[in-house]
Amino acid sequence: MDKINVQRLKKTLAYLESKQRELKRNHENDTRSIESMIQYLKKDMLEQFKLSHYDIYIKGEINNTEIFIQSVQSIIDSNSA
């Protein structure tokens, strides 16, 4: 993955993490819109950055946002060196 895509992926991951934190803070309120945005963002990241080329198991992790974030961070770390 080239450096520009790694930087874009880092920014996208940071946004995903912020939405995940927002979802946790608002657990008592109606969070369907935030959950929908998170699901869309994860699918978009998979396609846009072709993450399955770097982690063959990442598609299976899309349902668990915490694990998905860890996997994306691992991809960033291994492509930043």
Side-chain angles (χ1 to χ4, degrees):
M1 186 179 297
D2 59 24
K3 287 186 177 187
I4 292 173
N5 278 336
V6 170
Q7 290 301 316
R8 286 181 45 230
L9 182 57
K10 280 183 183 179
K11 289 179 182 178
T12 307
L13 179 62
Y15 183 72
L16 174 61
E17 289 172 324
S18 73
K19 289 297 164 189
Q20 181 69 8
R21 285 190 300 273
E22 184 179 341
L23 180 65
K24 286 181 179 178
R25 279 194 310 268
N26 293 326
H27 62 85
E28 295 172 6
N29 300 329
D30 185 14
T31 58
R32 286 177 291 186
S33 62
I34 298 171
E35 290 169 353
S36 295
M37 183 184 300
I38 288 172
Q39 283 303 109
Y40 172 79
L41 187 56
K42 289 188 290 186
K43 288 177 184 174
D44 187 55
M45 288 171 73
L46 271 176
E47 293 172 14
Q48 184 177 358
F49 296 103
K50 299 177 180 20
L51 296 179
S52 58
H53 290 274
Y54 303 97
D55 182 349
I56 59 172
Y57 301 108
I58 200 160
K59 280 187 179 179
E61 298 166 349
I62 198 164
N63 294 326
N64 186 326
T65 303
E66 297 295 329
I67 293 174
F68 183 83
I69 288 171
Q70 291 172 5
S71 296
V72 173
Q73 186 61 55
S74 179
I75 291 170
I76 289 171
D77 292 345
S78 64
N79 285 281
S80 292

PDB file of all heavy atoms in Angstrom, residues 1-21:
ATOM      1  N   MET A   1       0.858  -1.174   0.000  1.00  0.00           N
ATOM      2  CA  MET A   1       0.000   0.000   0.000  1.00  0.00           C
ATOM      3  C   MET A   1       0.901   1.233   0.000  1.00  0.00           C
ATOM      4  O   MET A   1       1.855   1.299   0.769  1.00  0.00           O
ATOM      5  CB  MET A   1      -0.879  -0.023   1.264  1.00  0.00           C
ATOM      6  CG  MET A   1      -1.902   1.065   1.299  1.00  0.00           C
ATOM      7  SD  MET A   1      -2.976   1.069   2.772  1.00  0.00           S
ATOM      8  CE  MET A   1      -3.820  -0.470   2.624  1.00  0.00           C
ATOM      9  N   ASP A   2       0.604   2.195  -0.857  1.00  0.00           N
ATOM     10  CA  ASP A   2       1.470   3.370  -0.910  1.00  0.00           C
ATOM     11  C   ASP A   2       1.188   4.318   0.258  1.00  0.00           C
ATOM     12  O   ASP A   2       0.189   4.187   0.966  1.00  0.00           O
ATOM     13  CB  ASP A   2       1.352   4.088  -2.259  1.00  0.00           C
ATOM     14  CG  ASP A   2      -0.062   4.566  -2.571  1.00  0.00           C
ATOM     15  OD1 ASP A   2      -0.839   4.761  -1.628  1.00  0.00           O
ATOM     16  OD2 ASP A   2      -0.376   4.738  -3.762  1.00  0.00           O
ATOM     17  N   LYS A   3       2.101   5.269   0.466  1.00  0.00           N
ATOM     18  CA  LYS A   3       2.036   6.132   1.647  1.00  0.00           C
ATOM     19  C   LYS A   3       0.783   6.991   1.678  1.00  0.00           C
ATOM     20  O   LYS A   3       0.226   7.239   2.744  1.00  0.00           O
ATOM     21  CB  LYS A   3       3.277   7.025   1.717  1.00  0.00           C
ATOM     22  CG  LYS A   3       4.519   6.284   2.109  1.00  0.00           C
ATOM     23  CD  LYS A   3       5.678   7.222   2.298  1.00  0.00           C
ATOM     24  CE  LYS A   3       6.885   6.435   2.761  1.00  0.00           C
ATOM     25  NZ  LYS A   3       7.986   7.304   3.121  1.00  0.00           N
ATOM     26  N   ILE A   4       0.328   7.439   0.520  1.00  0.00           N
ATOM     27  CA  ILE A   4      -0.874   8.274   0.472  1.00  0.00           C
ATOM     28  C   ILE A   4      -2.084   7.475   0.954  1.00  0.00           C
ATOM     29  O   ILE A   4      -2.885   7.965   1.750  1.00  0.00           O
ATOM     30  CB  ILE A   4      -1.105   8.829  -0.948  1.00  0.00           C
ATOM     31  CG1 ILE A   4      -0.011   9.834  -1.295  1.00  0.00           C
ATOM     32  CG2 ILE A   4      -2.480   9.468  -1.073  1.00  0.00           C
ATOM     33  CD1 ILE A   4      -0.030  10.320  -2.715  1.00  0.00           C
ATOM     34  N   ASN A   5      -2.214   6.240   0.492  1.00  0.00           N
ATOM     35  CA  ASN A   5      -3.328   5.409   0.932  1.00  0.00           C
ATOM     36  C   ASN A   5      -3.228   5.066   2.410  1.00  0.00           C
ATOM     37  O   ASN A   5      -4.252   4.968   3.085  1.00  0.00           O
ATOM     38  CB  ASN A   5      -3.426   4.136   0.094  1.00  0.00           C
ATOM     39  CG  ASN A   5      -4.148   4.376  -1.213  1.00  0.00           C
ATOM     40  OD1 ASN A   5      -4.934   5.308  -1.338  1.00  0.00           O
ATOM     41  ND2 ASN A   5      -3.892   3.538  -2.180  1.00  0.00           N
ATOM     42  N   VAL A   6      -2.024   4.858   2.920  1.00  0.00           N
ATOM     43  CA  VAL A   6      -1.846   4.586   4.349  1.00  0.00           C
ATOM     44  C   VAL A   6      -2.316   5.790   5.156  1.00  0.00           C
ATOM     45  O   VAL A   6      -3.031   5.638   6.151  1.00  0.00           O
ATOM     46  CB  VAL A   6      -0.378   4.227   4.679  1.00  0.00           C
ATOM     47  CG1 VAL A   6      -0.152   4.187   6.184  1.00  0.00           C
ATOM     48  CG2 VAL A   6       0.001   2.890   4.064  1.00  0.00           C
ATOM     49  N   GLN A   7      -1.971   7.000   4.711  1.00  0.00           N
ATOM     50  CA  GLN A   7      -2.399   8.208   5.415  1.00  0.00           C
ATOM     51  C   GLN A   7      -3.920   8.363   5.369  1.00  0.00           C
ATOM     52  O   GLN A   7      -4.544   8.698   6.369  1.00  0.00           O
ATOM     53  CB  GLN A   7      -1.726   9.454   4.810  1.00  0.00           C
ATOM     54  CG  GLN A   7      -0.249   9.539   5.079  1.00  0.00           C
ATOM     55  CD  GLN A   7       0.064   9.563   6.559  1.00  0.00           C
ATOM     56  OE1 GLN A   7      -0.571  10.245   7.339  1.00  0.00           O
ATOM     57  NE2 GLN A   7       1.055   8.782   6.966  1.00  0.00           N
ATOM     58  N   ARG A   8      -4.504   8.113   4.215  1.00  0.00           N
ATOM     59  CA  ARG A   8      -5.966   8.197   4.086  1.00  0.00           C
ATOM     60  C   ARG A   8      -6.639   7.149   4.965  1.00  0.00           C
ATOM     61  O   ARG A   8      -7.656   7.429   5.604  1.00  0.00           O
ATOM     62  CB  ARG A   8      -6.386   8.003   2.622  1.00  0.00           C
ATOM     63  CG  ARG A   8      -6.079   9.215   1.768  1.00  0.00           C
ATOM     64  CD  ARG A   8      -6.498   9.057   0.308  1.00  0.00           C
ATOM     65  NE  ARG A   8      -7.808   8.498   0.140  1.00  0.00           N
ATOM     66  CZ  ARG A   8      -8.091   7.467  -0.665  1.00  0.00           C
ATOM     67  NH1 ARG A   8      -7.156   6.903  -1.391  1.00  0.00           N
ATOM     68  NH2 ARG A   8      -9.326   7.006  -0.774  1.00  0.00           N
ATOM     69  N   LEU A   9      -6.076   5.947   5.002  1.00  0.00           N
ATOM     70  CA  LEU A   9      -6.626   4.881   5.822  1.00  0.00           C
ATOM     71  C   LEU A   9      -6.538   5.248   7.303  1.00  0.00           C
ATOM     72  O   LEU A   9      -7.466   5.004   8.066  1.00  0.00           O
ATOM     73  CB  LEU A   9      -5.910   3.558   5.537  1.00  0.00           C
ATOM     74  CG  LEU A   9      -6.411   2.321   6.282  1.00  0.00           C
ATOM     75  CD1 LEU A   9      -7.896   2.082   6.015  1.00  0.00           C
ATOM     76  CD2 LEU A   9      -5.601   1.096   5.872  1.00  0.00           C
ATOM     77  N   LYS A  10      -5.442   5.873   7.721  1.00  0.00           N
ATOM     78  CA  LYS A  10      -5.290   6.310   9.114  1.00  0.00           C
ATOM     79  C   LYS A  10      -6.388   7.304   9.484  1.00  0.00           C
ATOM     80  O   LYS A  10      -6.993   7.204  10.547  1.00  0.00           O
ATOM     81  CB  LYS A  10      -3.931   6.979   9.331  1.00  0.00           C
ATOM     82  CG  LYS A  10      -2.779   6.039   9.502  1.00  0.00           C
ATOM     83  CD  LYS A  10      -1.508   6.831   9.772  1.00  0.00           C
ATOM     84  CE  LYS A  10      -0.316   5.939   9.884  1.00  0.00           C
ATOM     85  NZ  LYS A  10       0.919   6.708  10.124  1.00  0.00           N
ATOM     86  N   LYS A  11      -6.651   8.260   8.590  1.00  0.00           N
ATOM     87  CA  LYS A  11      -7.673   9.266   8.861  1.00  0.00           C
ATOM     88  C   LYS A  11      -9.060   8.629   8.910  1.00  0.00           C
ATOM     89  O   LYS A  11      -9.877   8.968   9.766  1.00  0.00           O
ATOM     90  CB  LYS A  11      -7.637  10.365   7.801  1.00  0.00           C
ATOM     91  CG  LYS A  11      -6.428  11.254   7.924  1.00  0.00           C
ATOM     92  CD  LYS A  11      -6.401  12.317   6.862  1.00  0.00           C
ATOM     93  CE  LYS A  11      -5.142  13.158   6.986  1.00  0.00           C
ATOM     94  NZ  LYS A  11      -5.060  14.171   5.950  1.00  0.00           N
ATOM     95  N   THR A  12      -9.314   7.712   8.006  1.00  0.00           N
ATOM     96  CA  THR A  12     -10.604   7.031   7.991  1.00  0.00           C
ATOM     97  C   THR A  12     -10.784   6.192   9.243  1.00  0.00           C
ATOM     98  O   THR A  12     -11.862   6.157   9.837  1.00  0.00           O
ATOM     99  CB  THR A  12     -10.734   6.157   6.726  1.00  0.00           C
ATOM    100  OG1 THR A  12     -10.462   6.960   5.567  1.00  0.00           O
ATOM    101  CG2 THR A  12     -12.117   5.569   6.595  1.00  0.00           C
ATOM    102  N   LEU A  13      -9.723   5.512   9.665  1.00  0.00           N
ATOM    103  CA  LEU A  13      -9.772   4.713  10.887  1.00  0.00           C
ATOM    104  C   LEU A  13     -10.031   5.605  12.099  1.00  0.00           C
ATOM    105  O   LEU A  13     -10.828   5.247  12.975  1.00  0.00           O
ATOM    106  CB  LEU A  13      -8.481   3.921  11.070  1.00  0.00           C
ATOM    107  CG  LEU A  13      -8.415   3.059  12.332  1.00  0.00           C
ATOM    108  CD1 LEU A  13      -9.507   1.998  12.322  1.00  0.00           C
ATOM    109  CD2 LEU A  13      -7.042   2.414  12.452  1.00  0.00           C
ATOM    110  N   ALA A  14      -9.395   6.749  12.154  1.00  0.00           N
ATOM    111  CA  ALA A  14      -9.611   7.676  13.272  1.00  0.00           C
ATOM    112  C   ALA A  14     -11.077   8.113  13.320  1.00  0.00           C
ATOM    113  O   ALA A  14     -11.675   8.204  14.405  1.00  0.00           O
ATOM    114  CB  ALA A  14      -8.697   8.889  13.142  1.00  0.00           C
ATOM    115  N   TYR A  15     -11.667   8.352  12.164  1.00  0.00           N
ATOM    116  CA  TYR A  15     -13.082   8.726  12.112  1.00  0.00           C
ATOM    117  C   TYR A  15     -13.957   7.572  12.594  1.00  0.00           C
ATOM    118  O   TYR A  15     -14.895   7.781  13.372  1.00  0.00           O
ATOM    119  CB  TYR A  15     -13.453   9.143  10.684  1.00  0.00           C
ATOM    120  CG  TYR A  15     -14.878   9.606  10.548  1.00  0.00           C
ATOM    121  CD1 TYR A  15     -15.275  10.832  11.079  1.00  0.00           C
ATOM    122  CD2 TYR A  15     -15.825   8.823   9.914  1.00  0.00           C
ATOM    123  CE1 TYR A  15     -16.588  11.262  10.964  1.00  0.00           C
ATOM    124  CE2 TYR A  15     -17.141   9.246   9.798  1.00  0.00           C
ATOM    125  CZ  TYR A  15     -17.511  10.471  10.324  1.00  0.00           C
ATOM    126  OH  TYR A  15     -18.811  10.883  10.217  1.00  0.00           O
ATOM    127  N   LEU A  16     -13.651   6.356  12.151  1.00  0.00           N
ATOM    128  CA  LEU A  16     -14.404   5.182  12.582  1.00  0.00           C
ATOM    129  C   LEU A  16     -14.312   5.013  14.094  1.00  0.00           C
ATOM    130  O   LEU A  16     -15.311   4.750  14.769  1.00  0.00           O
ATOM    131  CB  LEU A  16     -13.895   3.925  11.872  1.00  0.00           C
ATOM    132  CG  LEU A  16     -14.491   2.584  12.317  1.00  0.00           C
ATOM    133  CD1 LEU A  16     -15.992   2.562  12.071  1.00  0.00           C
ATOM    134  CD2 LEU A  16     -13.818   1.434  11.587  1.00  0.00           C
ATOM    135  N   GLU A  17     -13.117   5.187  14.641  1.00  0.00           N
ATOM    136  CA  GLU A  17     -12.934   5.071  16.087  1.00  0.00           C
ATOM    137  C   GLU A  17     -13.748   6.132  16.833  1.00  0.00           C
ATOM    138  O   GLU A  17     -14.349   5.845  17.877  1.00  0.00           O
ATOM    139  CB  GLU A  17     -11.453   5.202  16.451  1.00  0.00           C
ATOM    140  CG  GLU A  17     -10.638   4.004  16.038  1.00  0.00           C
ATOM    141  CD  GLU A  17      -9.144   4.196  16.224  1.00  0.00           C
ATOM    142  OE1 GLU A  17      -8.648   5.324  16.006  1.00  0.00           O
ATOM    143  OE2 GLU A  17      -8.479   3.220  16.580  1.00  0.00           O
ATOM    144  N   SER A  18     -13.811   7.344  16.304  1.00  0.00           N
ATOM    145  CA  SER A  18     -14.585   8.397  16.961  1.00  0.00           C
ATOM    146  C   SER A  18     -16.075   8.060  16.948  1.00  0.00           C
ATOM    147  O   SER A  18     -16.777   8.307  17.929  1.00  0.00           O
ATOM    148  CB  SER A  18     -14.331   9.757  16.306  1.00  0.00           C
ATOM    149  OG  SER A  18     -14.960   9.846  15.049  1.00  0.00           O
ATOM    150  N   LYS A  19     -16.558   7.494  15.850  1.00  0.00           N
ATOM    151  CA  LYS A  19     -17.965   7.097  15.774  1.00  0.00           C
ATOM    152  C   LYS A  19     -18.253   5.935  16.728  1.00  0.00           C
ATOM    153  O   LYS A  19     -19.317   5.867  17.335  1.00  0.00           O
ATOM    154  CB  LYS A  19     -18.358   6.714  14.343  1.00  0.00           C
ATOM    155  CG  LYS A  19     -18.432   7.899  13.423  1.00  0.00           C
ATOM    156  CD  LYS A  19     -19.530   8.821  13.909  1.00  0.00           C
ATOM    157  CE  LYS A  19     -19.455  10.185  13.311  1.00  0.00           C
ATOM    158  NZ  LYS A  19     -20.385  11.113  13.943  1.00  0.00           N
ATOM    159  N   GLN A  20     -17.302   5.029  16.881  1.00  0.00           N
ATOM    160  CA  GLN A  20     -17.462   3.911  17.807  1.00  0.00           C
ATOM    161  C   GLN A  20     -17.536   4.430  19.248  1.00  0.00           C
ATOM    162  O   GLN A  20     -18.355   3.977  20.040  1.00  0.00           O
ATOM    163  CB  GLN A  20     -16.321   2.905  17.636  1.00  0.00           C
ATOM    164  CG  GLN A  20     -16.412   1.701  18.527  1.00  0.00           C
ATOM    165  CD  GLN A  20     -17.563   0.767  18.172  1.00  0.00           C
ATOM    166  OE1 GLN A  20     -18.226   0.924  17.158  1.00  0.00           O
ATOM    167  NE2 GLN A  20     -17.804  -0.204  19.017  1.00  0.00           N
ATOM    168  N   ARG A  21     -16.691   5.405  19.588  1.00  0.00           N
ATOM    169  CA  ARG A  21     -16.738   6.004  20.929  1.00  0.00           C
ATOM    170  C   ARG A  21     -18.075   6.720  21.140  1.00  0.00           C
ATOM    171  O   ARG A  21     -18.679   6.631  22.210  1.00  0.00           O
ATOM    172  CB  ARG A  21     -15.577   6.980  21.127  1.00  0.00           C
ATOM    173  CG  ARG A  21     -14.241   6.309  21.338  1.00  0.00           C
ATOM    174  CD  ARG A  21     -13.173   7.292  21.764  1.00  0.00           C
ATOM    175  NE  ARG A  21     -12.954   8.354  20.796  1.00  0.00           N
ATOM    176  CZ  ARG A  21     -12.119   8.278  19.767  1.00  0.00           C
ATOM    177  NH1 ARG A  21     -11.413   7.185  19.568  1.00  0.00           N
ATOM    178  NH2 ARG A  21     -11.965   9.295  18.943  1.00  0.00           N
TER     179      ARG A  21
END
